Amino acid sequence: MRGAVIHAPGDVRFENLDDPRITRPTDAIIRTVATCVCGSDLWPYRGAEPIGDPHPMGHEYVGVVEEVGGEVANVKPGQFVVGSFATSDNTCVNCRNGWQSSCLNREFMSTCQADYVRIPNAHGTLVATEEHPDAESVPSLLAVSDVMGTGWYAALAAEVKPGSTAVVVGDGAVGLCGVIAAKELGAERIIAMSRHESRQKLALEFGATDIVTERGDEGIARVKDLTEGIGADSVLECVGTAESMRQALHSARPGGNVGFVGVPHEVAVDGQELFFSHVGLRGGPAPVRRYLPDLIDRVLSGRINPGKVFDLTLPLDQVAEGYKAMDERRAIKALLKP
């Protein structure tokens, strides 16, 4: 088969790879229908994370089951499935408590930008749709496998409630999906922080009521102006930088909550400052598997359409262009089709 391999910062190649095979009875092999480049893939691409030896890339996927191990009973060959970037057995105590991304047998997916993918813990990770979806639904189902599920978790972690005010820090795919989530959870006012016109338009389409273009202290002051000097009930931090975390914490009101889902890079939180702020803070890798049945239903019923975050579609063999376009901010998110 063929797949994406990163060799060095800025160097992603499409190469021949060994076909995946069943190695454990809980594995499945899927034929990829769609995959994509994630914003978090850009950290190593930009040199912000070590790469080490060349290795495959990708953690978002939807596909058709080709083969299953002997202990996989919930999906079967021929079914269209959606999974998560973090695999889970869905039976351990952490899974039963709803934290599948901390499954005791968790594995993080990292080979999905390829023709075929081995899914560990397939029995607990994959969710099959009743029938094969139409082509128009595939991008949104792909979004559910990570960015929509992550945006949903950010909104829940920030405790977005009906009638509340929410701020979304970050206008990438996760932040834009966070706007959808805040709207679905009943936020009355949704302030999207964005400096890019195309992303601002999509945020407004998804349910944002206000756009803040300022950053740093000016951005925080603008949020305070929009909230009568108090701050927001809920803030979704969807970037992962020191600046975005500071902006999130200072945009929340006393007693408000921050949900942070951007993978942290050089982020440090001052314990004393957090103590006196009365702001709650929760984050981490999203337990996407917990939300899959609900989000899949919302997509297939037409209630949400997070697939609109894919504004560039390429054949899988042009994966390197997908990385380049996202790195240069010519695309919000690149969808790849084998």
Side-chain angles (χ1 to χ4, degrees):
M1 71 167 190
R2 303 169 304 162
V5 176
I6 188 166
H7 287 257
D11 184 6
V12 171
R13 307 175 195 176
F14 195 63
E15 301 180 345
N16 289 322
L17 301 171
D18 292 337
D19 290 340
R21 58 186 181 86
I22 300 290
T23 60
R24 284 176 286 187
T26 51
D27 289 348
I29 305 298
I30 67 167
R31 173 177 55 81
T32 305
V33 171
T35 183
C36 55
V37 180
C38 183
S40 61
D41 292 332
L42 297 181
W43 291 110
Y45 184 80
R46 290 170 172 164
E49 288 181 357
I51 293 172
D53 294 333
H55 57 82
M57 291 289 287
H59 55 264
E60 297 160 281
Y61 57 95
V62 292
V64 175
V65 178
E66 293 282 306
E67 183 182 359
V68 297
E71 294 181 14
V72 179
N74 63 315
V75 298
K76 59 186 179 182
Q79 287 184 309
F80 183 95
V81 291
V82 184
S84 167
F85 62 86
T87 73
S88 55
D89 59 29
N90 221 24
T91 59
C92 77
V93 63
N94 290 341
C95 289
R96 294 197 305 272
N97 285 331
W99 297 99
Q100 287 92 334
S101 51
S102 283
C103 175
L104 296 176
N105 292 301
R106 175 189 68 192
E107 294 186 38
F108 285 113
M109 297 300 299
S110 60
T111 63
C112 298
Q113 293 164 3
D115 294 319
Y116 294 89
V117 184
R118 181 179 73 89
I119 311 295
N121 294 311
H123 59 301
T125 300
L126 297 177
V127 176
T129 57
E130 290 187 9
E131 55 189 30
H132 282 228
D134 56 44
E136 290 74 21
S137 298
V138 168
S140 285
L141 292 171
L142 178 60
V144 164
S145 77
D146 184 357
V147 290
M148 185 64 238
T150 297
W152 194 264
Y153 171 59
L156 290 176
E159 299 189 14
V160 174
K161 293 180 172 61
S164 64
T165 295
V167 169
V168 179
V169 180
D171 63 358
V174 172
L176 291 167
C177 287
V179 172
I180 295 175
K183 179 69 173 179
E184 288 289 294
L185 293 172
E188 183 174 302
R189 192 169 198 179
I190 303 171
I191 302 168
M193 309 197 81
S194 172
R195 291 178 290 189
H196 303 89
E197 185 177 356
S198 62
R199 302 178 186 211
Q200 293 170 2
K201 289 180 179 178
L202 193 51
L204 292 169
E205 182 179 343
F206 283 163
T209 57
D210 302 88
I211 300 293
V212 168
T213 59
E214 295 87 350
R215 288 289 180 269
D217 290 339
E218 291 183 358
I220 294 164
R222 183 64 182 138
V223 169
K224 294 291 180 70
D225 287 343
L226 292 170
T227 56
E228 300 180 349
I230 302 301
D233 303 307
S234 302
V235 183
L236 289 62
E237 192 286 307
C238 302
V239 182
T241 64
E243 179 189 23
S244 62
M245 179 62 84
R246 181 179 181 276
Q247 190 142 315
L249 289 170
H250 286 258
S251 294
R253 65 169 174 80
N257 293 280
V258 172
F260 68 104
V261 296
V263 179
H265 286 75
E266 300 183 356
V267 173
V269 176
D270 186 310
Q272 189 166 28
E273 182 178 305
L274 183 64
F275 180 80
F276 284 104
S277 72
H278 283 130
V279 171
L281 182 62
R282 179 186 291 281
V288 170
R289 177 60 180 84
R290 188 203 315 180
Y291 315 129
L292 281 183
D294 178 34
L295 293 179
I296 289 171
D297 181 68
R298 290 175 193 254
V299 166
L300 295 179
S301 67
R303 183 165 175 173
I304 62 173
N305 188 8
K308 289 185 176 182
V309 299
F310 295 105
D311 55 350
L312 176 64
T313 299
L314 296 168
L316 183 56
D317 61 8
Q318 293 183 28
V319 60
E321 171 58 22
Y323 275 83
K324 186 177 180 182
M326 288 179 60
D327 179 47
E328 296 173 353
R329 286 191 173 270
R330 291 185 283 112
I332 298 171
K333 195 166 177 66
L335 185 145
L336 306 166
K337 291 185 176 182

